[in-house]
């Protein structure tokens, strides 16, 4: 059957594109990458009908099983579409960062291939290996400008992230020793055997929490995040913030959420506490930033807090909210980083206070930024509202009203700093220096238009993604 | 008895590797550490993991370090660490907590050794100012984690797969980190982490 080759095909397409981009002439690299990432998006969308019919696609390749269930597909749709749009955005943008583009597209496509592969493999150790692989390619991409700031950010990112994630070796070894397999499916079926010895189970749990938590950027482990996000070229920031850290959260869902029935209430409170602290610290730190990309980076920390709360609640509604938030955050934060890229491309400035009155000059960017920022703050007609609302309600129903209140405070702070940034950048008098600023070229505005349309659409009709989200959570904890 | 003596030598060589003033000495102590760990694994009849550890932590990673350090003409560490006492306190506290947890779990010698080496590696990561010493600390912590992981799992094909892939990951990470630090050295002219203060908040 054709269907079972589709998961491996998605990875192969992007990998072949990465190899081809090494040999084609400089000018053809960008268009080639765009075509190949678009092809991977088409292949992912082709799997949608099968999944909606309630089936799971299995395929075996060299002893490693690739499978696609609803949760994987949701993450895949979000990441491949953002991958394609970010590649399209790079076409005009990337020469602005450095004259010689070198192997930018090769590393970009290798990164996307790694990120596509993570939701496909259900093997915990392979998830770790692939996350490490994407860390290497991201390190190269973050250092793309080769100046002092970029190199410092990439060094910090590589060291902190590798150190944190290497804890996962212990978790994988324990799972392998106790269960005899590293598959997440076996972890689900046999976790009672693991939970018999409580101290080993705890070691396993904390290893997963710390290891994947570093990649997701939860608060005591987030120090690499704002540096790497703000110093990378904007399309890379969009992928890093929209997909990579969300995949850290996805891996936590795959491991911790299925250990849920055996966790004590203290474990739940630890995860919830980490989530609330992450949300509040991210919100407060974002408020005091003056650089637009650092503000967006801390806003990602804020958002990871919500996902962690949904995960820590462990209830069906909480997991629903977490999964839906992963999907929404990919679209919104990807779009916001691309908007920041457009602004930097046209004005050459990064400080929020240095810009002003750009709404008349760059209307498409202004509208996209407003949709994204209102969505991030959780304002009703947009998609960000629904995922946040589900998490608030889940926390309230699970008997943690204080968590709901603290999250609403974080959300209010988010509304504050996004409104401040929108006002400072787009409204007021147009500065003399920006009289000749024009809207960005079409290859940069198309991704913005597409992503803002998606945000509006999923805000008005949240039932469509929510159906897949419910499938996904059932696939995760229901068998 | 052999295992106990070997573990004492192992811990001593790890400390020497972190604390040596000359970088060549650090690298040779790192290689010694890799070979002793491989010997201990061989003593416990984990032959596959022993060979992998000897190749990666005994030969490959020290060789990469040697190649990089040769290009820098750097023999001495840059200055005394200002935060040494604070980082020592942190490391002592962390190791006390970890030790008490491990005692509570009734652990064996292998695990005590790996935790000790891990703590020394964390000390190098937090307390050292030289960018390459920090990478050395990262390699030491990863070595300790591999040792722990192989020691607690029964022998099987998948375990050696874990061993191979994880070793490969740490070799590539080390090489990439050393390459980035070489770029930093070329651009800024120093490997002192205190001089890298562009990104604070």
């Amino acid at each position: 059957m054709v269907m079972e080759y589709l998961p491996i095909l998605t990875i192969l397409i992007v990998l072949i594109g990465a190899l081809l981009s090494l040999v084609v002439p400089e000018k053809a690299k960008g268009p080639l990458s765009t075509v190949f990432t678009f092809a991977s998006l088409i292949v992912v969308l082709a799997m949608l009908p099968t999944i909606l019919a309630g089936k799971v696609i299995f395929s075996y390749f060299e002893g490693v099983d690739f499978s696609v269930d609803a949760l994987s597909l949701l993450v895949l749709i979000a990441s491949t579409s953002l991958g394609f749009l970010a590649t399209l955005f790079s076409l005009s943008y990337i020469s602005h960062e450095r004259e010689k583009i070198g192997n930018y597209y090769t590393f970009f496509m290798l990164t996307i291939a790694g990120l596509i592969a993570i939701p496909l493999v259900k093997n915990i150790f392979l998830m770790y290996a692939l996350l490490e692989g994407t860390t290497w390619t991201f390190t190269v991409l973050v250092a793309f400008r080769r100046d002092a700031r970029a190199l410092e950010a990439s060094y910090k990112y590589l060291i902190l992230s590798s150190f944190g994630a290497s804890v996962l070796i212990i978790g994988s070894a324990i799972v392998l020793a106790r269960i005899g397999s590293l598959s997440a499916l076996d972890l689900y079926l046999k976790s009672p055997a693991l939970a018999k010895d409580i101290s080993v189970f705890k070691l396993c749990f904390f290893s997963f929490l710390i290891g994947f938590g570093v990649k997701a950027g939860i608060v005591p482990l987030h120090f690499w995040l704002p540096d790497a996000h703000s110093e990378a070229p904007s399309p890379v920031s969009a992928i890093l913030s929209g997909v990579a850290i969300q995949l850290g959260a996805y891996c936590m869902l795959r491991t911790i959420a299925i250990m849920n029935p055996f966790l004590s209430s203290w474990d739940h409170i630890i995860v919830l506490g980490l989530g609330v602290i992450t949300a509040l610290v991210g919100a407060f730190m974002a408020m005091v930033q003056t650089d637009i990309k650092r503000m967006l980076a801390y806003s990602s920390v804020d958002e990871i807090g919500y996902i962690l709360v949904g995960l820590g609640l462990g209830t069906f509604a909480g997991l629903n909210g977490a999964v839906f938030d992963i999907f929404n955050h990919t679209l919104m934060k990807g779009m916001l980083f691309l908007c920041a890229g457009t602004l930097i491309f046209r004005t050459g400035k990064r400080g929020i206070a240095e810009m002003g009155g750009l709404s008349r000059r760059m209307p498409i960017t202004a509208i996209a930024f407003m949709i994204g920022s209102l969505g991030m703050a959780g304002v009703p007609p947009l998609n960000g509202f629904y995922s946040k609302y589900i998490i608030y309600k889940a926390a309230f129903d699970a008997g943690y009203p204080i968590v709901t209140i603290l999250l609403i405070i974080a959300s209010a702070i988010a509304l504050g700093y996004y409104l401040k940034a929108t006002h400072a950048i787009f409204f007021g008098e147009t500065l003399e220096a920006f009289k000749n600023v024009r809207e960005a070229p079409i290859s940069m505005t198309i991704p913005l238009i597409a992503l803002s349309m998606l945000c509006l659409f999923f805000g008005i009709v949240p039932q469509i993604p929510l159906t897949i989200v419910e499938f996904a959570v059932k696939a995760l904890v229901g068998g | 008895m052999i295992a106990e003596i070997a573990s004492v030598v192992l811990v001593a060589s790890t400390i020497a590797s972190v604390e040596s003033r000359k970088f060549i000495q650090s690298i040779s102590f790192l290689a010694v550490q890799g070979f002793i760990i491989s010997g201990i694994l061989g003593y416990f009849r984990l032959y596959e993991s022993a060979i992998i550890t000897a190749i990666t932590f005994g030969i490959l990673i020290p060789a990469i370090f040697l190649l990089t350090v040769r290009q820098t003409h750097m023999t001495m560490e840059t200055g005394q660490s200002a935060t040494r006492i604070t980082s020592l306190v942190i490391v002592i506290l962390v190791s006390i907590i970890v030790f008490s947890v491990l005692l509570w779990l009734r652990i064996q010698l292998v695990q005590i050794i790996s935790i000790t080496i891990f703590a020394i590696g964390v000390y190098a990561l937090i307390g050292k100012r030289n960018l390459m010493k920090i990478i050395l600390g990262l390699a030491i912590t990863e070595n300790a984690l591999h040792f722990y992981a192989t020691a607690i799992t029964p022998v099987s094909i998948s375990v050696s797969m874990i061993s191979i892939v994880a070793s490969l990951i740490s070799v590539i990470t080390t090489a990439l980190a050393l390459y980035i630090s070489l770029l930093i050295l070329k651009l800024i002219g120093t490997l002192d982490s205190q001089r890298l203060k562009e990104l604070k908040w």
Side-chain angles (χ1 to χ4, degrees):
Chain A
M1 213 178 106
V2 182
M3 207 41 111
E4 63 192 48
Y5 294 108
L6 289 186
I8 192 82
L9 191 63
T10 18
I11 308 173
L12 277 182
I13 286 174
V14 187
L15 276 182
I16 291 168
L19 283 179
L20 279 181
S21 72
L22 276 175
V23 292
V24 298
E26 189 114 324
K27 282 235 165 109
K29 281 181 180 175
L32 179 109
S33 318
T34 318
V35 169
F36 274 88
T37 42
F38 185 65
S40 74
L41 173 62
I42 296 293
V43 175
V44 167
L45 287 178
M47 288 189 266
L48 190 61
T50 320
I51 299 296
L52 280 180
K55 290 184 192 140
V56 177
I57 302 171
F58 285 106
S59 61
Y60 294 91
F61 182 75
E62 296 289 328
V64 178
D65 53 331
F66 289 85
S67 67
V68 179
D69 55 12
L71 179 57
S72 310
L73 190 77
L74 199 71
V75 178
L76 274 179
I77 289 175
S79 46
T80 44
S81 48
L82 187 58
F84 160 61
L85 292 172
T87 320
L88 185 61
F89 188 87
S90 302
L91 290 180
S92 326
Y93 179 79
I94 201 64
S95 55
H96 167 77
E97 291 270 345
R98 198 175 84 183
E99 278 299 312
K100 203 170 153 293
I101 58 168
N103 286 335
Y104 169 80
Y105 286 106
T106 312
F107 281 107
F108 200 77
M109 291 183 68
L110 278 179
T111 312
I112 293 175
L115 294 173
I116 290 174
I118 293 167
L120 290 177
V121 297
K122 297 293 179 294
N123 182 312
I124 297 165
F125 186 70
L126 274 183
M127 283 180 194
Y128 157 67
L130 286 167
L131 276 173
E132 277 300 296
T134 53
T135 305
W136 303 327
T137 48
F138 270 129
T139 307
V140 177
L141 289 173
V142 170
F144 181 70
R145 262 188 292 127
R146 294 281 192 280
D147 61 1
R149 290 171 68 95
L151 285 176
E152 186 187 340
S154 76
Y155 180 86
K156 256 190 192 175
Y157 172 48
L158 181 62
I159 296 286
L160 284 175
S161 156
S162 300
F163 172 64
S166 58
V167 179
L168 281 168
I169 297 173
I170 301 244
S172 319
I174 290 174
V175 169
L176 185 60
R178 299 281 158 150
I179 294 180
S181 145
L182 277 166
S183 159
L185 190 68
D186 284 343
L187 183 66
Y188 174 71
L189 294 173
K190 295 178 185 168
S191 48
L194 191 65
K196 260 182 212 157
D197 193 343
I198 196 70
S199 55
V200 169
F201 184 72
K202 284 275 157 71
L203 198 57
C204 210
F205 166 69
F206 281 110
S207 143
F208 290 145
L209 186 65
I210 294 170
F212 291 129
V214 164
K215 300 287 182 191
I218 62 178
V219 147
L221 314 165
H222 72 286
F223 294 103
W224 61 270
L225 194 149
D227 299 342
H229 281 51
S230 60
E231 294 312 317
S234 288
V236 179
S237 312
I239 293 288
L240 194 55
S241 183
V243 185
I245 66 168
Q246 304 304 319
L247 281 172
Y250 161 86
C251 291
M252 280 199 202
L253 276 175
R254 278 277 177 219
T255 49
I256 294 175
I258 50 185
M259 294 163 122
N260 239 329
F262 307 100
L263 297 179
S264 66
S265 58
W266 274 108
D267 295 339
H268 282 288
I269 288 172
I270 287 173
V271 180
L272 280 179
L274 278 177
V276 171
I277 290 170
T278 306
L280 285 174
V281 168
F284 277 113
M285 291 303 297
M287 197 169 61
V288 297
Q289 298 304 322
T290 52
D291 181 323
I292 177 165
K293 282 179 83 174
R294 282 187 95 76
M295 187 197 89
L296 293 176
Y298 272 110
S299 164
S300 297
V301 177
D302 179 5
E303 201 69 12
I304 283 291
Y306 288 89
I307 296 169
L308 208 59
V309 166
L311 178 66
L313 289 171
T315 55
F316 189 75
L319 291 176
N320 255 345
V323 173
F324 196 22
D325 210 39
I326 287 177
F327 181 74
N328 286 338
H329 184 252
T330 304
L331 299 180
M332 292 187 295
K333 194 47 73 65
M335 179 169 73
L336 283 172
F337 267 114
L338 294 184
C339 284
T342 325
L343 290 170
I344 294 167
F345 182 74
R346 279 303 187 207
T347 65
K349 300 268 196 296
R350 297 177 55 137
I352 293 170
E354 294 170 47
M355 297 184 239
L358 287 169
S359 64
R360 260 179 241 117
R361 301 275 150 212
M362 306 171 79
I364 298 173
T365 315
I367 292 169
F369 192 89
M370 269 185 265
I371 289 175
S373 49
L374 290 178
M376 286 301 296
V379 174
L382 292 157
N383 59 349
F385 165 72
Y386 289 96
S387 52
K388 287 197 169 70
Y389 173 72
I390 294 169
I391 293 174
Y392 297 150
K393 194 164 176 306
F396 198 81
D397 290 343
Y400 299 105
I402 184 80
V403 171
T404 310
I405 293 167
L406 289 173
L407 284 187
I408 289 174
I409 291 173
S411 189
I413 298 170
L415 184 60
Y417 62 72
Y418 273 118
L419 282 182
K420 189 186 89 178
T422 313
H423 184 264
I425 294 168
F426 292 109
F427 297 107
E429 288 227 346
T430 311
L431 298 179
E432 196 58 44
F434 301 137
K435 284 282 188 235
N436 296 322
V437 168
R438 284 174 295 121
E439 184 57 87
I442 190 144
S443 71
M444 290 166 77
T445 45
I446 285 174
L448 297 185
I449 295 169
L451 285 169
S452 52
M453 284 302 190
L454 283 178
C455 284
L456 264 181
F457 179 70
F458 291 137
I460 296 163
V461 200
Q463 289 82 4
I464 295 173
L466 265 176
T467 325
I468 312 180
V469 166
E470 275 176 22
F471 263 121
V473 176
K474 270 180 200 146
L476 184 67
V477 295
Chain B
M1 196 59 199
I2 298 170
E4 276 84 354
I5 294 171
S7 59
V8 171
V9 178
L10 176 58
V11 171
S13 73
T14 314
I15 293 174
S17 164
V18 172
E19 284 299 330
S20 282
R21 307 287 287 164
K22 287 198 170 140
F23 216 91
I24 300 294
Q25 283 178 9
S26 290
I27 297 165
S28 34
F29 278 121
L30 186 72
V32 168
Q33 184 219 19
F35 280 120
I36 296 174
I37 287 189
S38 132
I40 294 177
L41 285 172
Y43 181 75
F44 287 114
R45 293 169 196 282
L46 299 162
Y47 298 116
E48 287 170 349
S49 308
I51 294 167
I52 295 161
T53 312
I55 291 172
T56 49
F57 292 98
I59 299 167
L60 274 180
I61 290 183
I64 295 167
F65 265 106
L66 205 63
L67 286 176
T68 323
V69 171
R70 274 191 153 189
Q71 294 189 18
T72 63
H73 309 292
M74 176 199 62
T75 46
M76 298 290 282
E77 201 179 338
T78 46
Q80 278 288 326
S81 163
T83 55
R84 176 161 290 182
I85 292 170
T86 29
S87 49
L88 248 176
V89 170
I90 293 172
V91 167
I92 289 169
L93 280 177
V94 167
S95 39
I96 286 173
I97 293 167
V98 171
F99 258 106
S100 48
V101 170
L102 288 173
L103 283 177
W104 175 56
L105 293 175
R106 275 174 286 152
I107 37 104
Q108 299 121 11
L109 179 72
V110 174
Q111 302 180 340
I112 294 182
I113 304 168
S114 56
I115 293 300
T116 317
I117 302 172
F118 184 78
I120 298 167
V122 173
Y123 164 69
L125 268 174
I126 302 171
K128 291 292 169 183
R129 284 173 55 172
N130 187 315
L131 292 184
M132 290 193 179
K133 267 283 167 66
I134 295 173
I135 300 167
L136 195 104
L138 183 71
I140 290 174
T141 52
E142 281 180 350
N143 198 352
L145 286 172
H146 288 198
F147 185 44
Y148 185 83
T150 38
I152 60 167
T153 43
V155 188
S156 72
I157 300 164
S158 338
V159 174
S160 59
M161 271 312 288
I162 281 198
S163 231
I164 292 168
V165 176
S167 311
L168 206 66
I169 286 173
S170 42
V171 170
I172 297 177
T173 306
T174 312
L176 188 57
L178 283 171
Y179 175 63
I180 298 278
S181 63
L182 263 187
L183 287 180
I184 291 176
L185 181 66
K186 270 181 197 156
L187 193 75
I188 309 174
T190 176
L191 278 175
D192 190 351
S193 65
Q194 301 286 312
R195 298 269 293 277
L196 287 176
K197 280 190 171 170
E198 294 274 342
L199 311 164
K200 264 295 176 190
W201 284 99

